[in-house]
Every structure is written in structure tokens, then in C-alpha cells.
């Protein structure tokens, strides 16, 4: 079973997709516009997203770009345009697969199963590099510009989690769930660890180099520019 977010503004189409995915024993959440979908993805990341391109608040391509800015979740785009150039452009923009409307429940299920298999079988990199920051996941070692960093277990886990999602904003709720293994908690816990990490990376919140706080959204690790 996977958690799937259906982003579709047409009530009839959205209901039909939810029924089909329910029948296949997936946990389904839904959103009727791009901004609601982005909020869902940031706060509680699903295993896959089915994204309609004809949303009322944002162009589908822009919505896809914004999704890719905060998450690497597999995305299947649903489009009414059976145009090869458009489909290629969407795939190059970060879509994992596509569906041309109208499509059957079996077609939807097969495409979803395929992207989930690919996501689950993709090997995780054992060495993460972000600029001059190098993290050896197996050895649980990190170095900045060739100098070893002395990190606590939690600091390492937090840094490695952010490095694996470099250049993308990670929601605080996701950090609590994945790094601290807590479904809820105090943001101050994250802030304290970020402060310690910044000190060891030779930066501060007012003058960030690697660790960037996006107010009201989360945290991003990126190489200095």
C-alpha cells in the first residue's frame, strides 16, 4: 500500500481516481488546486503524486516545477494533450511518467505501480556531496573542505537527511517524522540542532552558506553560490 496524493480540480474525475486507488488498497489524499497540493507535500510527503495539468490556480508546468522545488516524490502528470513535444518537456521538467486523458483505472494503476517500483528499487547513494561538504553514509563521517566534522548522532542524521535532498526545501514536520521519528514535536528541537550544525559548518543563521531556513516552510541544504 502506498500513500497517493491526487491533484485534480474536476470533482467527478477526482472521485473516480480516488475510488480506483482505494480499490487497489492505497491510502489516498486529494487536493483541488496546486497550492493546496504543495502544502500537503511539504507537510506530509506522499509516496506518489498524480498531478493534473489543468489546475485553476497555477499552470501545470509551474506546479510541477514548484513540486520539484520541495520534494523528489514520484509525480505522474495527467494531461489532455497527446502532444509528444509537450510530454517530453514535462518529463524533462521532472515528471516521472504521464497519463493522457481519458484513461482507464487499469492504466492508472499500472503506471502508478511502475513509478512506485522504480522509486523503491533506486539505490541510495552512499556518499553525498554538496559543494565542499562530503558525507559518507556507511561510515557516518562528514567532512567540509577536507576537514573532518565532529558531529553527534542526531546532527549527522539531520545533515545526511538534508544532503540527500539537497537544493530542496524540507518541511519541519518531515524532519521530525524522519530524523527524530516523532509525529509531533517542538520546532525548537530542530532549531537547536540547526544552530549547532551551522556552528560546525562555520556559518550562522544571519549569514548562511549551506543551511538555509525558508520561513514558514522548512530547511534547505545547498552549496554556496
Amino acid at each position: 500500500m502506498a500513500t497517493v496524493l491526487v491533484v485534480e480540480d474536476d470533482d467527478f474525475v477526482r472521485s473516480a481516481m480516488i475510488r480506483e486507488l482505494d480499490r487497489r488498497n492505497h491510502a489516498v489524499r486529494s487536493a483541488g488546486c496546486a497550492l493546496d497540493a504543495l502544502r500537503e507535500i511539504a507537510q506530509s510527503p506522499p509516496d506518489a503524486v498524480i498531478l493534473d495539468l489543468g489546475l485553476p490556480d497555477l499552470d501545470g508546468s509551474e506546479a510541477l516545477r514548484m513540486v520539484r522545488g520541495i520534494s523528489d516524490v514520484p509525480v505522474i502528470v495527467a494531461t489532455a494533450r497527446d502532444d509528444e513535444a509537450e510530454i517530453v518537456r514535462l518529463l524533462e521538467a521532472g515528471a516521472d511518467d504521464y497519463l493522457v486523458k481519458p484513461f482507464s483505472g487499469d492504466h492508472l494503476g499500472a503506471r502508478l505501480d511502475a513509478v512506485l517500483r522504480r522509486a523503491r528499487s533506486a539505490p541510495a547513494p552512499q556518499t553525498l556531496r554538496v559543494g565542499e561538504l562530503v558525507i559518507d553514509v556507511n561510515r557516518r563521517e562528514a567532512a567540509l573542505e577536507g576537514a573532518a566534522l565532529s558531529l553527534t548522532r542526531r546532527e549527522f542524521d539531520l545533515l545526511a537527511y538534508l544532503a540527500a535532498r539537497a537544493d530542496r526545501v524540507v518541511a519541519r514536520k518531515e524532519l521530525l517524522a524522519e530524523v527524530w521519528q516523532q509525529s509531533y514535536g517542538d520546532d525548537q528541537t530542530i532549531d537547536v540542532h540547526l544552530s549547532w550544525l551551522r556552528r560546525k559548518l562555520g556559518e550562522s543563521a544571519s549569514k548562511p552558506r549551506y543551511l538555509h531556513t525558508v520561513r514558514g516552510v522548512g530547511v534547505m541544504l545547498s552549496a554556496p553560490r
Side-chain angles (χ1 to χ4, degrees), residues 155-172:
E155 288 168 357
F156 181 88
D157 290 344
L158 176 58
L159 185 63
Y161 191 85
L162 291 170
R165 294 151 185 81
D167 297 319
R168 292 179 181 167
V169 181
V170 180
R172 288 170 177 269

Side-chain angles (χ1 to χ4, degrees), residues 25-87:
N25 297 318
H26 294 302
V28 187
R29 307 202 310 263
S30 67
C33 67
L35 294 180
D36 285 348
L38 290 165
R39 192 175 299 112
E40 283 274 344
I41 294 168
Q43 293 178 351
S44 184
D47 296 312
V49 175
I50 300 170
L51 176 66
D52 174 50
L53 295 185
L55 297 172
D57 55 341
L58 280 178
D59 172 75
S61 299
E62 180 67 10
L64 176 61
R65 185 186 68 79
M66 293 180 73
V67 168
R68 279 291 164 255
I70 61 172
S71 176
D72 57 359
V73 60
V75 176
I76 301 174
V77 294
T79 176
R81 294 181 58 186
D82 188 9
D83 180 79
E84 182 177 347
E86 173 72 0
I87 290 169

Side-chain angles (χ1 to χ4, degrees), residues 17 22 32 36 38 50 52 72 79 95 115 120 127 129 147 151 162 180 188 206:
M17 284 197 284
D22 278 339
D36 285 348
L38 290 165
I50 300 170
D52 174 50
D72 57 359
T79 176
V115 298
R120 288 165 178 165
T127 301
R129 299 177 185 274
L151 303 175
L162 291 170
W180 274 266
Q188 188 175 3
S206 60

